[in-house]
């Protein structure tokens, strides 16, 4: 019979938890190394051998976490997109669709900034965004992912409003307008010298707040 642990003494850490943290650190190290290499020498010129060499692991280890180079190039953005969808699902039903979208995207960026993987800084993420926008193969993939995210977002909005997106076009129209503003602010952020998330939030809020007046207001100068 094993002796019961003394009351009040800290429980030994579960090996499973240690393994999971080690796996997470390895994934973050691979992601950080890949983005650094992509943004300094170019996506096309960077090989998987160089990425695993920078972390001192095998190719087999790389493929446990990422299917290919494209997957690692988009990994940080996918985390933000997944967080955005999670935030959108959690928005209260009392919010209008547009307000729910607005709050969800701002919260997603805040959560990304507060994440504990400090190696993937806002500065590195901005450089990665610029790299994706300027690499034809990645830009095409970026557009495909953007379209898929729009589809998922529209379905979520339709679900929370109790609508059939096949019969009611409002979810698709609202998400198309919202996504256009988000893409534009991302491009503006990528051109700025300030890579901080606060700068991205400021741009996002500024331009989302102009969406309603731009669509329905009068533009004539006083």
């Amino acid at each position: 019979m094993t002796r019961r642990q003394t009351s009040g003494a800290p429980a030994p850490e579960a090996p499973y938890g240690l393994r999971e943290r080690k796996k997470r650190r390895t994934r973050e190290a691979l992601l950080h190394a890949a983005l650094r290499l992509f943004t300094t020498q170019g996506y096309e010129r960077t090989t998987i051998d160089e990425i695993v060499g920078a972390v001192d692991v095998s190719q087999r280890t790389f493929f446990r976490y990422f299917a290919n180079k494209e997957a690692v190039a988009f990994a940080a953005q996918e985390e933000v997109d997944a967080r955005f969808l999670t935030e959108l699902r959690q928005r209260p039903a009392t919010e209008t669709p547009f307000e729910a979208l607005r709050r969800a995207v701002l919260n997603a960026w805040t959560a990304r900034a507060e994440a504990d993987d400090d190696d993937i800084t806002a500065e590195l993420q901005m450089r990665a965004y610029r790299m994706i926008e300027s690499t034809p193969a990645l830009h095409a993939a970026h557009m495909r992912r953007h379209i898929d995210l729009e589809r998922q977002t529209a379905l979520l909005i339709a679900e929370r409003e109790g609508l059939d997106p096949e019969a009611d076009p409002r979810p698709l129209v609202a998400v198309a307008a919202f996504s256009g503003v988000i893409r534009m602010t991302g491009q503006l952020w990528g051109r700025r010298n300030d890579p901080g998330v606060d700068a991205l939030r400021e741009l996002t809020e500024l331009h989302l707040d102009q969406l309603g007046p731009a669509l329905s207001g009068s533009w004539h100068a006083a």
Side-chain angles (χ1 to χ4, degrees):
M1 177 181 292
T2 57
R3 181 180 301 175
R4 296 183 62 184
Q5 186 179 348
T6 304
S7 176
E13 199 156 21
Y16 180 79
L18 292 173
R19 285 197 300 270
E20 286 303 307
R21 279 197 294 279
K22 183 178 179 180
K23 286 166 63 178
R24 181 173 179 177
R25 285 195 298 268
T26 300
R27 182 184 184 278
E28 289 173 359
L30 285 166
L31 176 56
H32 179 261
L35 293 182
R36 286 289 182 192
L37 287 166
F38 291 160
T39 57
T40 53
Q41 66 185 32
Y43 174 78
E44 301 290 356
R45 294 181 60 188
T46 300
T47 66
I48 291 177
D49 280 338
E50 289 176 307
I51 297 170
V52 299
V55 184
D56 196 23
V57 297
S58 66
Q59 278 203 12
R60 183 178 179 182
T61 298
F62 176 91
F63 288 115
R64 287 184 192 140
Y65 300 98
F66 304 104
N68 47 41
K69 279 202 313 179
E70 181 181 300
V72 73
F74 285 102
Q77 183 59 48
E78 282 192 346
E79 290 176 12
V80 175
D81 292 345
R83 183 69 188 187
F84 163 70
L85 293 174
T86 298
E87 291 283 346
L88 184 57
R89 291 187 187 97
Q90 296 173 349
R91 298 312 305 166
T94 53
E95 291 180 347
T96 65
F98 181 75
E99 184 62 19
L101 290 166
R102 184 179 182 276
R103 295 288 184 185
V105 74
L106 294 175
N107 287 352
W109 276 111
T110 298
R112 187 69 188 84
E114 295 173 350
D116 58 6
D117 49 343
D118 295 331
D119 282 342
I120 312 304
T121 61
E123 184 269 339
L124 182 55
Q125 192 151 354
M126 175 187 276
R127 289 170 59 191
Y129 182 85
R130 290 171 177 166
M131 180 266 300
I132 289 170
E133 287 283 304
S134 62
T135 304
L138 291 180
H139 187 265
H142 184 46
M143 293 306 298
R144 290 194 300 271
R145 291 166 183 266
H146 189 73
I147 291 170
D148 184 62
L149 180 62
E150 280 192 4
R151 180 187 61 80
Q152 294 182 67
T153 304
L155 289 175
L156 276 177
I157 290 295
E159 180 182 356
R160 66 176 264 130
E161 298 301 315
L163 302 175
D164 177 3
E166 297 295 329
D168 192 323
R170 286 178 294 176
L172 291 171
V173 172
V175 170
F178 171 82
S179 297
V181 173
I182 294 302
R183 177 162 173 74
M184 178 191 67
T185 56
Q187 291 172 334
L188 292 173
W189 179 64
R191 297 180 196 135
R192 291 178 62 158
N193 293 324
D194 182 359
V197 172
D198 286 343
L200 178 58
R201 282 181 58 95
E202 178 185 335
L203 281 170
T204 301
E205 289 185 288
L206 172 66
H207 289 87
L208 285 176
D209 288 346
Q210 291 302 313
L211 183 57
L215 294 177
S216 60
S218 173
W219 292 12
H220 292 293

